[in-house]
Amino acid sequence: MSSHREMLDYFNHGCFQKLFAAIGKKYKSLGRVGGTVKLSGLSPEDRDILSGFLSRDCRDSAVLMVKLQEVDDILRQSRFNMALPDFLEVYFGCEILPNKEAARLESLKWSQFFHGLMEHARTTVTREWLAELAAGGGAGYRTVKAIYRQNEREAAELLKTCVEAMDRLVQYPGRRQRLPVFAARLTGDPHALDGDRPLGRLLFFALHHMYRLPETEYGAERKKVLFSRAGLEEDDISSNVIVAGLRARPGDPREPVFTASAAAASPLLLPLRFVEQPTGWLPGAVYVMENPAVFSAILDCAAGREQMPAMVCTSGQPSVAALKLLDRLVDAGSTIYYGGDFDPPGLEMGRRLAERYAAAFKPWFFDTAAYLQAPKGIKLTPDQAKKLAILEVPWDGHLIEAMLRVGNVVYQEVLVDRMIEDLFP
């Protein structure tokens, strides 16, 4: 042990760290003592010290070539009397395995990891998913691998719990239950299956396997739909959307609610539970915006008027409730007139809605003409310009080009006067 300490003290210099880091990498790559490493960027002091170690003049070498066999011979003949592979393990404080051997052992460890999980699986569907993951594929493989690399023990516990959840859903198909209640029964934590938690992500992919679906982008709406298919319903109160001026058909039990709201120019906050229940919507133009301040400014001007435009405010990224409402309105024959900020996030929100509603989507003060006529703007940052350059908007093929040429971000607040004039001529 003392000789090892002496050896490490002797090689405690930056030039040796560079040398043995390169040698260790070469040794793992070849799986034997062989080949040559190249060192550059060495200081005069580095070259002087390595000259003494290698017993050759390296002082004028801008690039130093060192054979692994050369270093092995030096170490064997030194007072440390140690072969290069043994030296590397002492120097780095860990076992140095050739890449092929390390990969073989890692593969064996991965298989054993899943063998233990298989013992907890009670259904064929779950065992098949685990087998696909063990084979290096299957829904959620990349997520599982990332969790495994970060903490193997935690990954085992998460997958074991996910397996239990999946088995319960397979064994009792059609049972409807609230997701937080199911999560609490499973783990004691009602938030364990939330979208931002590892277990929630794992079950999301497990359900992809259960229903043989292609792996899709992880998002709140997709998660809700998929979990609902499995009988797990999220709470339908916290997701909501602000509306004003919407109208239901005469005779619909909800019609008085919307009539009173429109008459008073007063907004309604509709939770998902309300939106998902049947309503006989009257078709028409629906003005959608993500900005609550713009929504409020329009409401200010609507008070006392006979006609109140139908409006929806998403308050940023559309919630599940907002998307569900817009789906129902479009299904009823309405047209979505959407306006947002002329910046990358605002255009991206518009793009998603345009793709979702196709011909039922119309830009509202959200095209090249509106941008160029805006009274004020703020200079684009380099990061914003970079994001714009790779963005496409389906409703106006010239908008991005105009924004990059002018070089300004335009926020919806500066257009609110023109919007009000449009709605209340």
Side-chain angles (χ1 to χ4, degrees):
M1 185 67 68
S2 60
S3 62
H4 287 176
R5 183 70 268 168
E6 181 186 357
M7 182 177 67
L8 293 175
D9 288 341
Y10 177 83
F11 290 110
N12 184 26
H13 191 277
C15 65
F16 290 120
Q17 293 173 11
K18 294 178 183 178
L19 173 64
F20 293 127
I23 286 176
K25 185 176 180 180
K26 176 66 73 173
Y27 175 75
K28 288 191 287 186
S29 174
L30 295 176
R32 59 182 175 81
V33 175
T36 302
V37 297
K38 180 169 65 174
L39 301 179
S40 59
L42 297 172
S43 68
E45 181 186 3
D46 291 338
R47 293 195 294 271
D48 188 53
I49 292 173
L50 289 174
S51 295
F53 174 68
L54 297 171
S55 298
R56 56 186 171 95
D57 192 356
C58 307
R59 289 171 296 181
D60 295 328
S61 302
V63 177
L64 185 59
M65 308 297 292
V66 181
K67 293 182 179 180
L68 269 67
Q69 188 60 59
E70 176 185 8
V71 176
D72 182 71
D73 292 340
I74 292 171
L75 291 171
R76 289 178 183 272
Q77 296 168 15
S78 71
R79 67 178 184 274
F80 305 120
N81 188 25
M82 186 175 291
L84 179 59
D86 298 329
F87 168 83
L88 291 174
E89 291 189 359
V90 174
Y91 185 82
F92 290 107
C94 62
E95 186 177 12
I96 305 297
L97 293 175
N99 290 345
K100 288 184 178 179
E101 178 63 10
R104 186 189 71 81
L105 291 176
E106 181 59 33
S107 177
L108 178 62
K109 183 180 176 184
W110 178 255
S111 297
Q112 291 172 342
F113 173 80
F114 281 97
H115 178 74
L117 290 169
M118 285 285 191
E119 297 176 353
H120 295 276
R122 299 194 301 271
T123 65
T124 301
V125 173
T126 307
R127 285 191 290 269
E128 287 176 346
W129 182 53
L130 291 175
E132 289 183 8
L133 292 172
Y141 168 75
R142 290 186 297 275
T143 297
V144 172
K145 194 71 172 181
I147 296 173
Y148 172 86
R149 286 173 173 166
Q150 187 173 13
N151 189 316
E152 183 180 337
R153 181 175 296 180
E154 181 180 343
E157 290 301 317
L158 286 169
L159 274 171
K160 189 186 300 181
T161 306
C162 186
V163 162
E164 183 181 351
M166 195 173 173
D167 281 335
R168 291 187 187 185
L169 297 174
V170 172
Q171 290 175 320
Y172 303 103
R175 176 187 290 180
R176 313 304 293 178
Q177 51 193 320
R178 291 295 173 186
L179 179 61
V181 176
F182 178 78
R185 289 170 178 164
L186 186 70
T187 68
D189 180 0
H191 298 288
L193 294 173
D194 286 359
D196 59 350
R197 301 283 284 273
L199 186 58
R201 293 197 296 272
L202 289 179
L203 186 57
F204 175 79
F205 292 117
L207 293 178
H208 274 74
H209 170 83
M210 182 186 297
Y211 297 116
R212 289 299 175 183
L213 301 173
E215 213 169 301
T216 57
E217 178 186 355
Y218 189 89
E221 187 184 10
R222 290 186 184 277
K223 175 179 178 289
K224 180 184 183 302
V225 171
L226 184 57
F227 277 44
S228 178
R229 182 174 177 178
L232 300 174
E233 302 290 354
E234 297 182 3
D235 91 89
D236 50 13
I237 301 298
S238 58
S239 179
N240 49 62
V241 58
I242 306 170
V243 304
L246 295 183
R247 290 175 174 81
R249 296 182 182 278
D252 187 286
R254 298 176 169 199
E255 187 268 338
V257 174
F258 293 103
T259 299
S261 169
S266 179
L268 296 171
L269 184 66
L270 304 183
L272 178 61
R273 188 182 187 90
F274 185 101
V275 171
E276 288 188 322
Q277 295 172 3
T279 302
W281 298 111
L282 277 175
V286 179
Y287 296 89
V288 181
M289 59 212 77
E290 59 90 10
N291 192 312
V294 172
F295 186 84
S296 295
I298 296 173
L299 281 178
D300 291 341
C301 295
R305 298 177 183 267
E306 290 186 9
Q307 293 296 323
M308 172 73 190
M311 301 192 302
V312 174
C313 180
T314 66
S315 300
Q317 289 287 354
S319 64
V320 174
L323 292 172
K324 182 71 70 174
L325 174 64
L326 294 178
D327 290 348
R328 297 288 174 87
L329 292 171
V330 168
D331 289 344
S334 293
T335 300
I336 302 300
Y337 288 86
Y338 182 79
D341 293 328
F342 290 94
D343 67 354
L347 292 169
E348 181 61 29
M349 278 188 271
R351 182 189 67 79
R352 291 177 181 174
L353 291 176
E355 291 177 352
R356 188 181 186 101
Y357 299 116
F361 175 94
K362 304 294 181 185
W364 184 50
F365 293 97
F366 204 40
D367 55 12
T368 302
Y371 173 78
L372 294 176
Q373 293 167 15
K376 289 184 179 180
I378 298 175
K379 187 174 178 59
L380 279 168
T381 67
D383 183 60
Q384 288 173 324
K386 183 178 179 180
K387 290 177 180 178
L388 278 179
I390 60 175
L391 188 63
E392 294 182 5
V393 293
W395 64 88
D396 189 334
H398 302 290
L399 178 56
I400 300 299
E401 178 186 347
M403 291 181 66
L404 291 172
R405 182 178 69 253
V406 175
N408 282 342
V409 164
V410 170
Y411 293 106
Q412 198 175 35
E413 287 87 343
V414 304
L415 299 171
V416 71
D417 291 335
R418 294 183 58 200
M419 293 177 174
I420 291 170
E421 290 174 6
D422 184 60
L423 293 174
F424 309 107

